[in-house]
Amino acid sequence: MAAEAKVKSIFLYPIKSCRGISVSEAPLSSTGFRWDRQWVVVNAKGRACTQRVDPKLALVEVELPKDAFSIGWKPNMSSYLVIRAPGMDELKVSLCNPPQICDGVSVWEWSGSALDEGAEAAKWFTDYLGKPSRLVRFNEELEIRPVDSDYAPGFRVMFSDGYPFLLVSQGSLDTLNELLKEPVPINRFRPNLLVDGCEPFIEDLWKEIKIGNFLFNGVKLCARCKVPTINQENALSSSEPTETLVKFRSGKVLHPNRKGKGQVYFGHNMVCHDLHDGSEKMIKIGDPVYVISMFLSYDDTAT
């Protein structure tokens, strides 16, 4: 079987809605890439803060130990998540689980407990966002956050919006940028996997693929919110690229006889089937992407 594409970039986002990390390889876990959306900033009511309301989160950079992406790595007392933002002192958060449990944390439809990262982190984000905030970590020992069972029963995530993986192709980004007055980088769309070598938007129709030796299913096209309109370098928003995407990537254009006509789609949400035995596996830049089966048309894809 010939490869249809290859992995060009791997991204993960340790703190939901904050800046991502680009890595050459990343271990897979049952909730997606290890470390992906393991933390979230919450407001005084325990609700997740995102760039939709707090675009300044785009400027929050995070750093993990280099060894944190190795198979079998475990944190010790000198292992930290380092957090930086303009005008703020550096914040170090221990990767050893904090003892405090915070109840009433909610991300969209889900609510449960989380691990509170403490007063110093709370003050840092409160000062930065200008409103009472706390940094919490997903409570893996006590909580399970399932994805929508209508699309991918049996799968789960931490604080991701919906699904364990988001895949986009370089061809899709290039085609969009040819239509824009000012090209946008891939960080506007916050994918986990950027693949190259395939036709633009063909990833929309990937029903079943293998990346390296791991089996993935495309479960739902990604309907975009306002985040792609936020410049990830300065946190300023504009009408693009959504204004252009509406013209050729809306539900009205892609599947005019179905619901979701007002949505705009870019990227394909995916799940990986080879992660339920509890052992970690690795995906690397350069891994081949093999297409096993495809949807016949956009009318067959889930949106």
Side-chain angles (χ1 to χ4, degrees):
M1 183 187 300
E4 300 281 340
K6 65 179 180 179
V7 176
K8 181 178 181 180
S9 300
I10 299 169
F11 305 100
L12 48 102
Y13 309 85
I15 305 177
K16 183 179 180 64
S17 240
C18 293
R19 192 163 290 181
I21 295 175
S22 176
V23 295
S24 60
E25 58 182 18
L28 299 162
S29 75
S30 59
T31 57
F33 283 125
R34 186 204 288 174
W35 306 116
D36 193 40
R37 278 86 169 194
Q38 194 160 344
W39 289 265
V40 66
V41 182
V42 297
N43 63 19
K45 295 182 178 180
R47 292 203 61 83
C49 299
T50 75
Q51 290 185 34
R52 297 165 179 86
V53 175
D54 299 293
K56 284 179 66 177
L57 288 171
L59 307 182
V60 176
E61 298 181 7
V62 297
E63 180 184 336
L64 284 160
K66 290 181 180 179
D67 292 340
F69 301 98
S70 302
I71 291 288
W73 183 85
K74 301 291 183 183
N76 57 43
M77 296 305 294
S78 61
S79 304
Y80 294 96
L81 173 71
V82 182
I83 304 172
R84 304 179 181 92
M88 301 293 294
D89 291 335
E90 182 179 274
L91 173 67
K92 286 187 172 183
V93 175
S94 174
L95 290 179
C96 294
N97 283 349
Q100 308 98 322
I101 289 183
C102 176
D103 292 318
V105 169
S106 59
V107 178
W108 307 123
E109 77 300 334
W110 178 88
S111 63
S113 68
L115 301 170
D116 195 319
E117 293 292 3
E120 183 182 2
K123 184 179 187 306
W124 194 96
F125 279 99
T126 295
D127 291 346
Y128 181 67
L129 294 178
K131 63 181 181 181
S133 307
R134 302 195 73 82
L135 180 66
V136 300
R137 184 174 182 173
F138 194 82
N139 190 347
E140 294 182 78
E141 291 186 3
L142 296 181
E143 300 288 353
I144 291 177
R145 184 165 172 247
V147 305
D148 191 329
S149 60
D150 289 341
Y151 296 96
F155 290 89
R156 56 196 178 98
V157 290
M158 291 192 190
F159 292 129
S160 298
D161 266 2
Y163 299 90
F165 301 96
L166 175 62
L167 182 148
V168 174
S169 77
Q170 183 67 48
S172 300
L173 180 66
D174 291 345
T175 297
L176 169 63
N177 279 334
E178 288 171 4
L179 302 173
L180 296 174
K181 292 180 180 177
E182 296 184 16
V184 296
I186 192 60
N187 64 12
R188 292 288 191 101
F189 298 101
R190 301 175 68 80
N192 296 111
L193 290 161
L194 179 66
V195 301
D196 197 10
C198 57
E199 297 176 26
F201 301 108
I202 193 67
E203 69 270 21
D204 294 349
L205 301 178
W206 287 350
K207 184 177 183 179
E208 190 175 39
I209 65 173
K210 287 188 77 174
I211 300 178
N213 295 315
F214 309 117
L215 186 65
F216 287 76
N217 272 114
V219 295
K220 189 176 187 294
L221 298 187
C222 186
R224 308 310 308 213
C225 62
K226 68 174 287 186
V227 171
T229 68
I230 299 170
N231 186 317
Q232 299 295 294
E233 307 306 318
N234 58 25
L236 299 177
S237 61
S238 65
S239 62
E240 293 290 12
T242 300
E243 186 175 307
T244 294
L245 284 170
V246 166
K247 298 173 184 176
F248 74 112
R249 296 292 302 168
S250 69
K252 184 178 180 180
V253 173
L254 297 179
H255 46 77
N257 298 318
R258 294 171 51 195
K259 64 179 182 180
K261 294 180 184 179
Q263 298 283 5
V264 173
Y265 300 99
F266 195 91
H268 205 164
N269 289 301
M270 298 213 157
V271 297
C272 183
H273 284 272
D274 298 318
L275 304 176
H276 293 290
D277 61 3
S279 63
E280 286 187 322
K281 291 102 171 177
M282 192 80 75
I283 282 185
K284 303 181 291 294
I285 288 177
D287 278 352
V289 179
Y290 304 98
V291 178
I292 297 173
S293 63
M294 295 183 63
F295 296 103
L296 296 178
S297 72
Y298 280 100
D299 286 336
D300 297 323
T301 59
T303 56

